[in-house]
Amino acid sequence: MPAIILTNKGMDRQVFPLGKAILLIGRNPVSEVYLDSTEISRDHASIICEDGHYTVHDNGSTNGTFVNGKLVTNRILAHNDEIRFGPYCFQVDFTGVEPSPEPMNALPIGLDRNGREYRSSTNLLPVKGKESAGPVKILMAGKSPRARLPMPVPVPKRNPFPLFLLAVVGAVAIIAWYMQVEETEAMAIRHKQELAQLKTSTSAQIEALTAESAQARESLRTSKEDIEKVLSQISILKSRIASESSPSTREASSGDPDENAKAQKAEKESKSLESTPVLQYPAQVTFVKDTQVALKLGDNVAGSLKIRKGQTFPVVGAESDVVVIKFNGESVRVAKNLTNFQAVLDAENSATKSPAITPTR
């Protein structure tokens, strides 16, 4: 007789005949195969004989029905197939084994495992030729379940130490992260304070350098004016000394009156020319080649300026080999040989000293 055989290790061998009707499997006490486990649904599955074949149907169970390790909903069974419902394993045997005897501790007829009367029902297909009558519902009562209650699969005890260790490691990680966040925030505040102090000190230094630069420019301007006055006075004194020591003046007094007049006139023109101060630097210069010039603020280099050939700048001073030009209100020192300094200076001095030529009749 076809049957399914319980094959769990550590449990008694149980044989459940399939027969020609429906074999109900589940945690419901009225099931033909009662399986007492939390992994088994109340109406877990059923095995039905259809057209000479036995088919296992999963009745929407929570953990599913497996045949030969594969999850199925409907599957035709074959000899030696392995069926698994939760922790329980069964083997299909179509060779005809003897069913298990009724257990000695079977419950009274008509009572379930809670001591209440129970009934079981099933739907049968309509008989051929009687289809119009619809499906027939048969109530069955008075028979106790045939399945021996198997012992539930023992649940191994869990060691709480790994969970405790995991909790400790998590707490330590959270504390370390919190401390790192606080340290990062403190460092950010400290950096902001240092940046504010640096900005304040830099502003004060810039203001001090600006004041020093203005004072230096003022003092340079005053010195330049004083030097020009002294040079002018020296030129005037030289002219007077030269005129007083000139022999032509003394000789002209004893000669012809016309010649004396001419000599006196020439002497006056000579004095006027000699009294004209000699220019120390021209009004402006033009660069004769491309030049890179450093811009200074006080004693510090503030940048650089590229001056191209042909650009002209006003002159504010001169030294031995250096000419001081004016650029954007600042004095910039450049080498004289980069400009036409000497040529312009000579031309301007010549133009200043050359007398106007008056034609004679």
Side-chain angles (χ1 to χ4, degrees), residues 187-246:
M187 187 179 297
I189 293 173
R190 187 165 59 254
H191 286 173
K192 287 182 179 179
Q193 294 175 351
E194 292 177 355
L195 182 60
Q197 293 176 358
L198 181 60
K199 287 182 178 178
T200 303
S201 63
T202 304
S203 301
Q205 291 177 359
I206 291 174
E207 291 178 358
L209 290 175
T210 304
E212 290 179 2
S213 175
Q215 185 177 0
R217 287 198 299 270
E218 185 64 26
S219 115
L220 180 62
R221 188 179 298 109
T222 304
S223 300
K224 177 185 174 182
E225 293 175 355
D226 294 341
I227 292 172
E228 289 178 351
K229 289 179 181 179
V230 171
L231 292 175
S232 177
Q233 292 175 359
I234 291 173
S235 299
I236 293 172
L237 290 175
K238 285 182 178 180
S239 300
R240 288 180 180 177
I241 293 171
S243 63
E244 291 176 355
S245 61
S246 174

Side-chain angles (χ1 to χ4, degrees), residues 158-170:
R158 294 182 178 179
N159 186 3
F161 180 73
L163 295 177
F164 173 75
L165 182 60
L166 182 62
V168 171
V169 172

Side-chain angles (χ1 to χ4, degrees), residues 27 35-42 44 61-64 84-88 153 155:
R27 198 157 43 87
L35 304 177
D36 188 9
S37 174
T38 56
E39 299 182 28
I40 302 297
S41 300
R42 188 173 180 81
H44 196 100
S61 62
T62 302
N63 295 315
R84 182 167 62 84
F85 310 105
Y88 298 94
V153 177
V155 179

Side-chain angles (χ1 to χ4, degrees), residues 53 83 102 301 307 331 359:
H53 299 285
I83 310 174
E102 291 292 334
V301 177
I307 300 176
S331 298

